[in-house]
Amino acid sequence: AVKSGWISSRGKFIEEFEKDFSNYIGVKYGVATANGTVALHLALTALGIGKGDEVIVPDLTFAATINSVIYTGSRPVVVDVDPEYWCISPEEIKKSITKKTKAIIVVHLYGHPCDMGPIMEIADQYGLYVVEDAAEAHGAEYKNKKIGSFGHVACFSFYGNKIITTGEGGMCVTNDKELADKMRILRDHGMAPERRYWHLVVGFNYRMTNLQAAIGVAQLQKIERFIKKKREIAKLYAEALSSVDGITLHPEMPWAKCVYWLYSILVDKKIKKKDEIVKELLKRGIEARNFFYPLHKMPIYRKYCRGSYEISSRISESGLNLPSSVKLSERDINYIAEQLKYIIKSK
């Protein structure tokens, strides 16, 4: 890409990455974007979602999910998650549907798929769009089919900490040609594809660069190796921590293939305060991170929330993300697990 001189938002690697990644997911069309957040906004806008509409989102997610809804002028409706696998609850989705509901955003949290069968049935029953926020779950599967291939459109992130990366970057994937064409026009300032500088709609500059796409093409060639290593890391953690009282291991439902973007556990606060664990691990050279705060806990999002959100609150309060880099060795994992066990058992 550098040698070609095409380093900005035109060049052969953009189309190559779009084609390769959409083929990997198992859908027909890919639309590369500047990042995962704008991919969500682009998808919602192309679906015609705007003022007066409602979009259902999970309480336990990164803020980009709800922000993308707010950008469109529509109203997010925040619902609780499933206690077993931490993703949006199909039952809570159904209870929250109104005459204004137009779409559902499902988030495949920390690499684990949502229960897409019931969700798609609900969407079909009520005539709703489904947008998959797959930023954390490249290559994850639901009943042997890759996530990102279920909803009307799926949005991925290629930020530096994701399973594959372009530094910054994202992509929308879909089987709907008309939707893909519309997203491309909106992504490129609303410009007519065959008439330069003629603008059909008020669009955005949400383009990926050729340099980023070239990195993406190379990264995609390694994705199965990365996923295999993520799952090996998860297995090592599970073996080392399974006998520890007060720890709930990262779930993997029978219908799911989790890619463990982060290896995540729950720690019973009666056993040990989570903040104390994080502090003690850091003293030993181990960086662990808390789960996302539930959306309903943050004042800026409270007006979109109804209910108590007991499950997302409990999961967030006890959730801990352990080091999960594919560069970790078995020795590293064993060291982390041993230090964690020592900290939990110590008074």
Side-chain angles (χ1 to χ4, degrees):
V2 172
K3 288 178 180 178
S4 74
W6 296 96
I7 61 170
S8 193
S9 56
R10 294 184 68 190
K12 70 174 186 176
F13 291 112
I14 296 168
E15 288 186 9
E16 186 175 343
F17 187 36
E18 290 175 335
K19 182 180 178 182
D20 290 353
F21 190 76
S22 57
N23 285 342
Y24 175 76
I25 298 301
V27 298
K28 294 178 181 177
Y29 309 105
V31 180
T33 62
N35 57 61
T37 306
V38 302
L40 286 166
H41 181 226
L42 184 66
L44 293 170
T45 303
L47 289 169
I49 292 166
K51 190 174 181 180
D53 297 326
E54 291 182 350
V55 179
I56 295 172
V57 301
D59 189 37
L60 191 59
T61 183
F62 183 61
T65 310
I66 192 171
N67 288 346
S68 65
V69 178
I70 296 169
Y71 298 158
T72 67
S74 58
R75 183 179 181 83
V77 175
V78 180
V79 305
D80 212 344
V81 298
D82 185 274
E84 284 192 275
Y85 55 93
W86 313 342
C87 299
I88 192 167
S89 164
E91 292 78 16
E92 293 299 319
I93 290 172
K94 195 162 188 177
K95 287 193 289 188
S96 301
I97 293 170
T98 71
K99 291 180 179 179
K100 294 182 179 180
T101 308
K102 194 164 183 179
I104 306 160
I105 300 182
V106 302
V107 179
H108 305 292
L109 191 73
Y110 299 138
H112 194 288
C114 297
D115 194 355
M116 293 308 299
I119 290 170
M120 295 310 299
E121 288 176 10
I122 293 167
D124 290 343
Q125 181 182 351
Y126 290 92
L128 306 176
Y129 293 119
V130 174
V131 177
E132 294 182 69
D133 182 341
E136 304 166 11
H138 313 66
E141 296 178 7
Y142 175 80
K143 295 185 177 180
N144 300 313
K145 183 180 177 183
K146 283 191 171 59
I147 59 95
S149 61
F150 292 91
H152 296 86
V153 59
C155 303
F156 289 83
S157 169
F158 305 117
Y159 182 63
N161 63 3
K162 298 302 187 289
I163 289 177
I164 63 169
T165 181
T166 57
E168 281 279 8
M171 194 173 304
C172 300
V173 299
T174 182
N175 279 315
D176 186 329
K177 185 180 187 302
E178 183 179 346
L179 181 61
D181 290 342
K182 192 171 183 179
M183 288 192 292
R184 287 195 181 95
I185 291 169
L186 285 166
R187 174 192 66 180
D188 298 338
H189 295 284
M191 196 184 304
E194 306 302 328
R195 193 176 181 186
R196 182 175 292 277
Y197 308 132
W198 185 265
H199 299 267
L200 302 170
V201 293
V202 177
F204 317 103
N205 181 5
Y206 283 175
R207 299 171 296 189
M208 177 182 281
T209 68
N210 198 42
L211 274 176
Q212 291 170 299
I215 295 169
V217 170
Q219 283 273 289
L220 191 57
Q221 294 171 2
K222 302 177 182 179
I223 190 167
E224 291 302 327
R225 187 198 316 168
F226 294 157
I227 291 170
K228 182 181 178 184
K229 184 62 187 287
K230 289 280 190 182
R231 289 180 60 81
E232 287 172 356
I233 289 169
K235 185 179 178 183
L236 289 169
Y237 272 131
E239 289 172 351
L241 300 174
S242 60
S243 61
V244 182
D245 290 339
I247 287 183
T248 300
L249 301 177
H250 198 137
E252 184 176 55
M253 300 301 286
W255 39 259
K257 178 183 177 181
C258 183
V259 290
Y260 302 99
W261 170 55
L262 298 176
Y263 190 79
S264 310
I265 60 173
L266 308 182
V267 181
D268 190 334
K269 59 184 177 182
K270 295 177 183 177
I271 304 295
K272 198 82 169 182
K273 290 183 178 179
K274 189 178 61 171
D275 290 344
E276 186 179 338
I277 294 172
V278 172
K279 186 177 178 180
E280 289 299 319
L281 284 172
L282 194 57
K283 287 180 181 178
R284 294 160 171 79
I286 301 164
E287 183 183 1
R289 295 184 181 181
N290 292 324
F291 274 26
F292 300 131
Y293 290 105
L295 297 175
H296 81 272
K297 293 278 190 183
M298 292 178 269
I300 57 171
Y301 301 127
R302 280 180 190 156
K303 63 183 176 180
Y304 308 117
C305 302
R306 311 162 186 165
S308 61
Y309 304 99
E310 293 177 7
I311 297 168
S312 58
S313 294
R314 175 177 58 79
I315 292 169
S316 176
E317 287 168 5
S318 58
L320 194 65
N321 294 312
L322 300 177
S324 303
S325 168
V326 294
K327 294 182 179 179
L328 292 172
S329 66
E330 184 173 349
R331 183 178 178 181
D332 294 329
I333 301 297
N334 288 335
Y335 172 73
I336 295 164
E338 287 303 315
Q339 294 304 309
L340 179 61
K341 287 188 282 187
Y342 176 80
I343 292 165
I344 288 174
K345 291 176 181 178
S346 64
K347 294 184 179 180

